[in-house]
């Protein structure tokens, strides 16, 4: 067993050794038997100037390398260290390629030994890390990283990372290693020998399998099911009496009058079977404000309470922070379960069968199979949100995720261990079921078949309800959905399920199946051709009909309906739709025959063969669903829904997306949701407009129910903690062209940043403007110490961008859409919020336009009753990003003068907590701000 690893890191003048980039520093650390035994580091004279960007990144300048040895002088030392060792690096091919080029240029042989890539190994073994950059992994594992982007420090940290990874690999169960082994041959890392040695070592001794569940050649983490406590509790406890106990559990906790009022109101609403709408300002403590009374009420009535959130972050906060505190202060035990949509969970049957299916023998599939084998030994939930999958892994997930269409239910040997069914059983036995709005309203749509039966529900982040309900009662499909389904069905010369059925009839006698498969093989390409032609024609129609700008996703949207029927091209499209529906209908009949023939011989089929047919029938059902969606979207256009296309203006010739949504959801919610529940409590920091709930209650269908309402103010002293400034010398966008506007705001943002020392969140209403401003602003700050992040420009999720923003002292973050809400940056990390424009939805947005037309036709005022309230709620969300605790202070700049110069603009200000508004020239405002910041 080779136990010697040489961990290498190089700093270089660029990233292309073939184009003359050179090494400027090298670090090497030798690890033997999981201990660091030797180190080497040296600057290297590259004999070319170090570019400014590299100097800024690494801190290494020309002076530092001027007297350093040439690479040919350090090469012998490195080669001697590498002899008989693994070459290890973080992103191994980068460092290896540089060294190979340098070795060759210096007259030495290239390295030919085994490689280990700690990025790849981390992807397999550290599935829940936020990211796989060296700094992110060091943070995740608590490894001190003193000098990032210096080769000696990076090599040292990578060595400690390697030791941890080898330790984790050695702790994996023998069976997991054996199942992983076939998938290692495609890896960049030479893992086969290491894993092979571990298999030999573990085979020679009895393994401690405590905490593990061995079943059907897979190893899962053991689990204990939740037991339902049947008895209702005789509880006569005042919810607010528990508030004193919270101060023992929560740092800096203070009893707040608004939180007490919220608790009383939630309890009373449930007691009186009333609906309620509660706006709870930042700092009220709304999660405890609804959790405590609802758990007390649910326990007393022996009924589950459902809590629904819009974001995963809030679900995690409830489960990981709030529920453990409540378990400590409540005088009785209770169970809480998070339940998500079925597609979030792994199907163990599909995964087991995928391990023996080598038709997709590519790098991404092999890597993902190895990842999931490791994950099964760690996960309690089987929830994809725990994983950090690459794009190829996400594609594979679609093949192994749980779904109702292909589920064998009780006939499946995995049924008792199935992650989704375990979650459903846990939810049935729980006092509190935490879910998301998407599943909550999918349950309403599917007639209450997804969640446990409930009568009381708390909806947090309730300002999203209209949009989520519209999505869930709407319909969408696209070209790629059809092509993926047809590819997975496949025909006899590729890796689809049809080929597997041909293999099945070689081992099981299924009379009549072969001619049906031949018919499918004929019908599939015909259906694919008709679908291609349809979607290509729709794209051409949209681009011809709407020669306009793209939306924020780089797509052109086109609302279609009655006026299109007069077009000859539209009539041609409808004829193509008929051909597609006819072709898919024929294909569907042939697919159905397969399962009918197989069902007759079911007793002769083994579990894997039954699984294959279940998957096949699942795909048939999905194809039928998509066919019916297409029929509705193109053949059943009506006045109660809005229908539109989105096409990729610069994408593939058939990149077309079709949508429909109900224009009004109030009646649907009133009849199907509010009328069927005893008590629905809706809460958010942003439900009222100008201190009235009328907009929300009418949009959501609550007017006839007379809900209880309350506006509970934040305990923060906004007049002391916040400056609200409106510069009068920033032009409105319609007063100048966009290029001038962008130049002005970039310059003014720089002026503000110099006073606030960065720590700025800048909110845009358009990706296009964000990108343009980012490019101009980056040029202005080139000589400064500011670190700039842009949503959609710098890679990473919202959570990752926020984390990176917090890392640097003088950081500035440009965000749009999702950054207007749901990010939490308390303390000194954020001291300035800039709102570029008031967040009105573009009037050509298909849904907004259709709702506005409907309102107008009923004699309403679309601007005052729809556009303005929507914008005010979004504005309040943006404003709420700045002050997250009683100790936060900061400034809000609004670059849109309409807020003070128009009558409707003042509605934005009256909807905020009391905060004085300052207007003036930017220069004067900044002088005032500087003095205020110095004082605070």
């Amino acid at each position: 067993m080779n136990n010697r690893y040489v961990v290498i890191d190089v700093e270089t003048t660029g990233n292309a050794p073939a184009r003359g980039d050179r090494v400027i520093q090298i670090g090497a650390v030798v690890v033997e038997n999981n201990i660091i035994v030797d180190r080497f580091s040296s600057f290297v004279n590259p004999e070319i100037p170090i570019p400014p960007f590299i100097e800024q990144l690494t801190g290494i300048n020309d002076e530092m390398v001027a007297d350093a040895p040439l690479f040919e002088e350090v090469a012998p030392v490195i080669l001697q260290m590498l002899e008989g060792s693994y070459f290890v690096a973080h992103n191994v091919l980068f460092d290896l390629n540089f060294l190979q080029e340098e070795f060759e240029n210096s007259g030495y042989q290239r390295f030919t030994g085994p490689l280990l890539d700690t990025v790849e190994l981390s992807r397999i073994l550290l599935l829940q890390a936020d990211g796989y950059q060296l700094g992110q992994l060091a943070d995740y594992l608590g490894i001190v990283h003193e000098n990032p982007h210096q080769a000696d420090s990076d090599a040292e940290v990578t060595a400690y990372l390697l030791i941890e990874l080898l330790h984790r690999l050695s702790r994996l169960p023998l069976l997991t290693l054996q199942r992983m082994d076939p998938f290692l041959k495609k890896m960049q890392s030479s893992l086969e020998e290491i894993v092979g040695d571990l298999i030999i070592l573990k085979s020679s001794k009895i393994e401690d399998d405590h905490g593990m569940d061995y079943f059907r050649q897979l190893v899962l983490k053991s689990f204990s099911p939740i037991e339902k406590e049947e008895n209702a509790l005789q509880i006569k406890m005042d919810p607010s009496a528990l508030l004193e106990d919270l101060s023992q559990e929560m740092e800096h906790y203070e009893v707040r009058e608004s939180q007490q009022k919220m608790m009383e109101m939630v309890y009373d609403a449930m007691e009186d079977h009333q609906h309620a709408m509660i706006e709870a300002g930042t700092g009220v403590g709304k999660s405890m404000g609804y959790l405590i009374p609802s758990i007390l009420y649910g326990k007393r009535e022996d009924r589950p309470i459902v809590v629904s959130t819009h974001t995963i972050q809030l679900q995690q906060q409830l489960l990981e922070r709030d529920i453990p505190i409540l378990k400590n202060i409540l005088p009785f035990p209770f169970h809480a379960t998070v339940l998500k949509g079925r597609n979030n969970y792994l199907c163990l049957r599909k995964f087991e069968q995928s391990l023996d299916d080598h038709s997709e023998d590519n790098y991404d599939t092999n890597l993902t199979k190895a990842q999931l084998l490791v994950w099964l030994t760690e996960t309690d939930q089987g929830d994809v949100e725990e994983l950090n999958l690459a794009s190829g892994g996400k594609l594979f997930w679609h093949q192994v995720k749980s779904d109702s269409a292909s589920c064998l239910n009780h006939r499946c040997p995995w049924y008792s261990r199935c992650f989704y069914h375990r979650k459903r059983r846990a939810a049935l036995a729980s006092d509190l079921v935490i879910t998301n709005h998407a599943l909550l309203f999918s349950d309403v749509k599917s007639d209450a078949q997804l969640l446990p039966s409930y009568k009381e529900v708390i909806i947090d982040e309730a300002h999203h309800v209209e949009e989520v309900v519209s999505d869930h009662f709407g319909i969408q499909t696209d070209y790629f959905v059809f092509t993926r389904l047809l590819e997975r069905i496949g025909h006899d010369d590729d890796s689809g399920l049809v080929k597997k059925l041909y293999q099945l009839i070689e081992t099981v006698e299924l009379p009549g199946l072969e001619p049906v498969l031949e018919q499918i093989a004929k019908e599939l390409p015909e259906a694919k051709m008709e679908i291609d032609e349809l979607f290509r024609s729709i794209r051409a129609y949209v681009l011809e009909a709407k020669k306009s700008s793209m939306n924020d996703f780089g797509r052109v949207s086109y609302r279609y309906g009655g006026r299109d029927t007069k077009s000859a091209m539209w009539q041609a499209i409808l004829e193509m739709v008929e051909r597609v529906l006819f072709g898919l209908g024929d294909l569907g009949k042939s697919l159905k025959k397969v399962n009918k023939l197989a069902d007759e011989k079911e007793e002769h089929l083994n579990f894997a063969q039954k699984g294959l047919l279940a998957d096949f029938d699942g795909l048939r059902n999905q194809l039928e669903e998509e066919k019916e969606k297409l029929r509705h979207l193109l053949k059943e256009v009506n006045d109660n829904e809005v229908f539109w296309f989105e096409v990729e203006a610069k994408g593939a010739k058939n990149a077309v997306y079709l949508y429909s949504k109900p224009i009004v959801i109030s009646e649907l919610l009133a009849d199907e949701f509010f009328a069927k529940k005893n008590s629905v409590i809706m809460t958010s920091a942003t439900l009222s407009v100008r201190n009235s709930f009328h907009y929300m209650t009418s949009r959501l269908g609550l007017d006839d129910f007379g809900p209880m309402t309350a506006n509970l103010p934040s305990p923060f002293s906004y007049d002391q903690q916040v400056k609200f400034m409106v510069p009068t010398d920033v032009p409105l966008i319609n007063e100048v062209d966009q290029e001038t506007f962008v130049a002005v705001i970039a310059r003014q943002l720089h002026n503000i940043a110099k006073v606030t020392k960065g720590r700025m969140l800048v909110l845009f209403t358009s990706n296009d403007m964000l990108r343009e401003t980012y490019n101009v602003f980056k040029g202005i700050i080139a000589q400064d110490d500011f670190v700039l992040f842009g949503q959609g420009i710098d890679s990473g999720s919202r959570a990752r961008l926020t984390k990176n923003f917090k890392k640097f002292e003088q950081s500035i973050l440009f965000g749009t859409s999702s950054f207007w809400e749901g990010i939490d940056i308390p303390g000194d990390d954020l001291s300035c919020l800039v709102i570029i424009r008031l967040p009105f939805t573009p009037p050509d947005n298909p849904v907004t336009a259709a709702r506005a037309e409907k309102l107008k036709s009923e004699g309403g005022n679309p601007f005052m009753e729809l556009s303005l309230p929507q914008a005010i709620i979004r504005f309040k969300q943006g404003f709420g990003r700045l002050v997250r605790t009683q100790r936060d202070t900061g400034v809000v700049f609004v670059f849109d003068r309409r807020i003070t110069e128009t009558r409707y603009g003042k509605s934005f200000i009256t909807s905020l907590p009391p905060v004085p508004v300052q207007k003036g020239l930017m220069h004067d405002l900044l002088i005032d701000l500087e003095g205020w910041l110095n004082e605070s």
Side-chain angles (χ1 to χ4, degrees):
M1 186 173 183
N2 181 353
N3 258 330
R4 182 179 161 90
Y5 307 92
V6 179
V7 182
I8 301 258
D9 188 84
V10 295
E11 303 303 332
T12 63
T13 60
N15 57 14
R19 291 204 299 269
D21 282 320
R22 303 293 303 274
V23 171
I24 55 174
Q25 188 189 24
I26 186 162
V29 177
V30 181
V31 175
E32 288 182 3
N33 298 316
N34 290 346
I35 297 167
I36 293 174
V37 295
D38 197 7
R39 293 175 176 87
F40 170 82
S41 71
S42 175
F43 288 121
V44 178
N45 186 340
E47 300 181 286
I48 57 172
I50 296 173
F53 167 72
I54 298 296
E55 186 178 326
Q56 195 178 358
L57 182 72
T58 63
I60 301 170
N61 57 37
D62 291 328
E63 201 178 319
M64 294 163 75
V65 299
D67 298 324
L70 300 175
F71 186 83
E72 62 201 47
E73 295 173 63
V74 298
V77 182
I78 300 298
L79 284 165
Q80 191 176 353
M81 290 176 95
L82 282 168
E83 201 168 315
S85 307
Y86 279 87
F87 183 112
V88 184
H90 201 67
N91 193 3
V92 72
L93 293 182
F94 176 84
D95 299 85
L96 179 68
N97 288 341
F98 255 100
L99 287 190
Q100 301 287 44
E101 193 79 20
E102 293 277 19
F103 285 144
E104 209 165 73
N105 292 341
S106 305
Y108 291 95
Q109 291 284 315
R110 288 174 161 245
F111 176 77
T112 56
L115 309 177
L116 275 188
D117 184 358
T118 49
V119 174
E120 184 175 71
L121 211 45
S122 298
R123 283 191 175 282
I124 296 170
L125 296 167
L126 303 175
L127 289 153
Q128 296 181 44
D130 286 337
Y132 295 100
Q133 292 173 3
L134 189 58
Q136 291 171 316
L137 292 168
D139 286 348
Y140 179 67
L141 295 171
I143 301 168
V144 177
H145 195 181
E146 289 176 351
N147 296 305
H149 303 296
Q150 291 258 333
D152 49 355
S153 176
D154 285 357
E156 185 87 5
V157 170
T158 307
Y160 282 113
L161 171 62
L162 173 71
I163 291 166
E164 174 63 25
L165 292 168
L166 291 172
H167 179 56
R168 288 183 181 231
L169 191 65
S170 70
R171 288 205 320 249
L172 288 174
L174 169 63
L175 182 54
T176 300
L177 291 168
Q178 289 170 328
R179 296 307 307 262
M180 270 174 68
D181 193 45
F183 307 117
L184 302 178
K185 62 183 181 298
K186 290 273 181 180
M187 303 293 119
Q188 290 173 359
S189 301
S190 314
L191 280 168
E192 292 109 309
E193 188 185 339
I194 297 170
V195 169
D197 288 341
L198 284 170
I199 289 170
I200 292 165
L201 183 69
K202 285 173 177 277
S203 300
S204 64
K205 54 185 184 183
I206 295 169
E207 197 169 25
D208 175 14
D209 57 5
H210 180 70
M212 292 297 163
D213 175 20
Y214 290 73
F215 186 68
R216 294 185 64 87
Q217 296 297 297
L218 285 178
V219 187
L220 284 71
K221 186 179 177 185
S222 297
F223 77 101
S224 304
I226 292 174
E227 298 297 330
K228 172 77 173 162
E229 291 161 17
E230 293 299 337
N231 303 335
L233 295 178
Q234 300 305 308
I235 294 171
K236 292 188 177 171
M237 184 179 289
D238 174 10
S240 54
L242 292 165
L243 290 177
E244 292 296 335
D245 297 332
L246 279 179
S247 57
Q248 307 297 313
E249 297 291 330
M250 297 174 78
E251 203 180 350
H252 305 304
Y253 179 78
E254 296 164 10
V255 174
R256 304 156 212 169
E257 186 187 346
S258 47
Q259 191 179 46
Q260 282 180 298
K261 279 185 183 168
M262 184 170 184
M263 286 184 175
E264 289 161 12
M265 190 171 172
V266 170
Y267 199 85
D268 290 348
M270 289 186 172
E271 183 99 80
D272 299 340
H273 291 189
Q274 271 197 280
H275 303 315
M277 195 168 272
I278 305 170
E279 178 168 290
T282 309
V284 164
K286 65 179 163 56
S287 52
M288 287 298 179
Y290 59 67
L291 285 174
I292 291 174
S294 58
I295 292 171
L296 290 174
Y297 180 83
K299 271 291 192 185
R300 195 192 79 182
E301 298 296 317
D302 193 26
R303 274 207 300 269
I305 304 291
V306 171
V307 174
S308 179
T309 76
H310 184 61
T311 57
I312 291 162
Q313 290 98 311
L314 183 52
Q315 278 187 12
Q316 287 171 332
Q317 177 197 305
L318 294 176
L319 195 70
E320 294 167 14
R321 189 193 74 180
D322 298 335
I323 300 297
I325 290 170
L326 289 177
K327 287 192 170 181
N328 287 341
I329 67 167
L330 287 172
F332 51 79
F334 70 93
H335 296 301
T337 296
V338 172
L339 185 61
K340 298 181 184 176
R342 186 165 190 159
N343 290 168
N344 282 278
Y345 300 103
L346 179 72
C347 171
L348 289 163
R349 173 189 69 76
K350 290 183 186 177
F351 181 59
E352 178 197 354
Q353 289 175 207
S354 78
L355 295 177
D356 298 319
D357 177 6
H358 302 292
S359 58
E360 289 186 46
D361 192 24
N362 57 55
Y363 176 83
D364 284 335
T365 302
N366 280 292
L367 177 70
T368 311
K369 287 177 180 178
Q371 288 175 314
L372 297 183
L373 282 164
V374 173
W375 181 54
L376 286 179
T377 67
E378 300 173 355
T379 183
D380 294 305
Q381 318 294 333
D383 177 0
V384 68
E385 292 289 348
E386 296 175 358
L387 299 169
N388 192 343
L389 294 177
S391 53
K394 287 173 184 167
L395 280 175
F396 178 72
W397 178 265
H398 288 301
Q399 297 177 35
V400 293
K401 67 187 180 186
S402 178
D403 66 66
S404 56
S406 63
C407 182
L408 294 173
N409 289 307
H410 293 280
R411 293 176 298 141
C412 180
W414 289 104
Y415 182 74
S416 65
R417 292 168 172 83
C418 169
F419 290 113
Y420 173 68
H421 287 293
R422 266 163 56 176
K423 273 290 179 187
R424 288 215 52 188
R425 288 191 289 273
L428 288 167
S430 290
D431 306 290
L432 199 66
V433 179
I434 301 168
T435 188
N436 52 50
H437 297 352
L439 186 62
L440 181 75
F441 292 108
S442 293
D443 183 64
V444 173
K445 188 179 180 181
S446 65
D447 235 2
Q449 294 180 17
L450 305 175
L451 293 171
S453 175
Y454 67 96
K455 285 292 182 183
E456 292 80 20
V457 56
I458 311 279
I459 302 181
D460 201 341
E461 302 176 304
H463 57 284
H464 284 291
V465 165
E466 184 177 19
E467 150 208 345
V468 173
V469 172
S470 288
D471 285 345
H472 273 76
F473 284 85
I475 291 174
Q476 68 180 77
T477 191
D478 61 70
Y479 170 75
F480 302 104
V481 168
F482 281 100
T483 52
R484 272 198 299 269
L485 282 171
L486 295 179
E487 277 168 15
R488 285 192 59 200
I489 294 167
H491 45 90
D492 60 352
D493 60 356
D494 61 31
S495 60
L497 289 183
V498 169
K499 182 176 182 181
K500 291 172 189 169
L501 289 172
Y502 271 114
Q503 291 165 352
L504 175 65
I505 56 180
E506 289 171 12
T507 53
V508 180
E509 197 177 326
L510 292 168
L513 185 56
E514 192 165 358
V516 176
L517 294 179
E518 284 167 5
Q519 181 66 18
I520 290 169
K522 179 173 165 287
E523 289 166 345
L524 265 171
E526 289 171 4
K528 172 88 167 58
M529 187 182 71
E530 294 287 4
I531 287 166
D532 280 357
E533 190 182 349
L534 170 65
F535 281 90
R536 263 201 310 275
S537 299
I538 293 173
R539 182 173 178 273
Y541 180 78
V542 171
L543 294 178
E544 176 65 30
K546 185 163 183 179
K547 295 180 167 66
S548 70
S549 61
M550 294 179 284
N551 68 13
D552 282 350
F553 302 103
R555 295 182 189 168
V556 173
S557 63
Y558 176 77
R559 188 173 151 214
Y560 61 94
R563 69 173 184 270
D564 295 285
T565 52
K566 300 183 179 102
S567 154
M569 194 170 172
W570 183 257
Q571 291 305 320
I573 285 171
L574 292 182
E575 285 172 24
M576 288 179 215
V577 175
E578 284 297 344
R579 290 204 300 274
V580 167
L581 294 174
F582 187 76
L584 290 175
D586 282 351
L587 178 60
K589 286 174 195 165
S590 300
L591 296 174
K592 202 164 190 175
K593 279 182 196 168
V594 171
N595 279 79
K596 191 168 181 298
L597 288 166
D599 284 347
E600 293 166 8
K601 294 283 184 178
E602 190 181 359
E603 69 276 14
H604 299 293
L605 301 175
N606 63 28
F607 164 63
Q609 291 161 345
K610 286 176 186 172
L612 170 64
L613 288 158
D615 290 344
F616 192 80
D617 202 41
L619 286 176
R620 182 192 63 76
N621 280 324
Q622 285 176 49
L623 191 63
E624 180 64 24
E625 275 177 33
E626 295 305 319
K627 184 191 86 173
E628 290 309 310
K629 285 183 189 177
L630 195 67
R631 182 193 306 282
H632 179 79
L633 287 160
L634 289 166
K635 301 285 288 180
E636 297 169 5
V637 177
N638 62 77
D639 293 338
N640 296 321
E641 295 170 81
V642 52
F643 293 83
W644 77 100
F645 299 123
E646 289 182 11
V647 307
E648 303 272 5
K650 296 177 182 173
K653 290 276 188 281
N654 31 31
V656 178
Y657 305 81
L658 291 78
Y659 300 90
S660 78
K661 285 186 184 180
I663 295 171
V664 176
I665 55 132
S666 51
E667 287 178 23
L668 188 153
L669 273 179
D671 297 342
E672 299 300 321
F673 186 55
F674 293 116
K676 295 181 178 180
K677 301 300 170 197
N678 289 350
S679 182
V680 178
I681 314 286
M682 308 182 85
T683 185
S684 163
T686 54
L687 288 172
S688 70
V689 175
R690 298 187 294 266
N691 300 310
S692 161
F693 290 94
H694 173 69
Y695 169 71
M696 275 294 177
T697 55
S698 66
R699 296 301 303 169
L700 300 180
L702 268 168
D703 281 348
D704 292 345
F705 295 91
M708 300 165 71
T709 60
N711 197 329
L712 304 176
S714 166
F716 301 157
S717 307
Y718 281 95
D719 55 339
Q720 306 293 314
Q721 291 177 254
V722 176
K723 283 273 191 192
F724 190 98
M725 295 181 159
V726 183
T728 53
D729 48 351
V730 173
L732 294 175
I733 194 162
N734 58 3
E735 295 173 345
V736 291
D737 60 66
Q738 181 150 320
E739 192 179 338
T740 306
F741 183 76
V742 164
V744 171
I745 62 172
R747 205 163 49 247
Q748 297 290 29
L749 288 171
H750 185 229
N751 292 332
I752 297 170
K754 286 188 287 190
V755 174
T756 62
K757 310 281 190 295
R759 298 178 300 170
M760 283 168 67
L761 173 61
V762 185
L763 294 176
F764 291 81
T765 53
S766 143
N767 278 338
D768 192 31
M769 187 175 291
L770 182 153
R771 197 173 289 275
E772 284 186 41
T773 311
Y774 179 98
N775 292 332
V776 174
F777 189 72
K778 204 161 178 65
I780 295 172
I781 64 165
Q783 303 306 312
D784 297 330
D785 292 330
F786 298 119
V787 182
L788 180 62
F789 299 100
Q791 184 186 2
I793 299 168
D794 297 289
S795 60
S797 62
R798 180 176 68 171
R800 194 168 301 172
L801 282 172
T802 307
K803 196 171 179 181
N804 289 338
F805 171 79
K806 291 178 182 178
K807 251 192 223 170
F808 296 93
E809 271 189 33
Q810 299 203 41
S811 50
I812 298 166
L813 175 57
F814 285 8
T816 179
S817 52
S818 61
F819 274 89
W820 281 79
E821 63 174 291
I823 62 160
D824 209 348
I825 310 175
D828 293 339
D829 288 329
L830 179 65
S831 59
C832 177
L833 174 73
V834 182
I835 293 173
I836 300 296
R837 299 192 68 211
L838 297 177
F840 287 101
T841 305
D844 62 351
N845 174 288
V847 180
T848 304
R851 286 175 182 164
E853 284 168 20
K854 179 136 183 86
L855 260 174
K856 195 171 182 180
S857 71
E858 293 166 352
N861 181 330
F863 180 76
M864 296 304 288
E865 294 175 43
L866 183 69
S867 302
L868 182 60
Q870 278 180 349
I872 288 171
I873 283 170
R874 199 157 182 71
F875 184 80
K876 287 170 71 175
Q877 283 289 337
F879 178 84
R881 297 313 94 218
L882 184 65
V883 173
R884 308 300 295 167
T885 74
Q886 211 123 19
R887 292 170 295 285
D888 292 351
T889 58
V891 60
V892 178
F893 278 94
V894 179
F895 278 10
D896 192 335
R897 300 197 319 271
R898 290 178 296 174
I899 198 166
T900 55
E901 293 178 359
T902 61
R903 186 181 298 171
Y904 67 78
K906 296 185 175 95
S907 300
F908 287 87
I909 294 167
T910 55
S911 295
L912 295 177
V915 55
V917 179
Q918 284 179 259
K919 294 187 294 181
L921 299 173
M922 180 68 86
H923 176 263
D924 299 335
L925 295 176
L926 289 177
I927 290 171
D928 183 74
L929 175 62
E930 197 160 16
W932 184 73
L933 287 174
N934 289 337
E935 281 172 28
S936 37

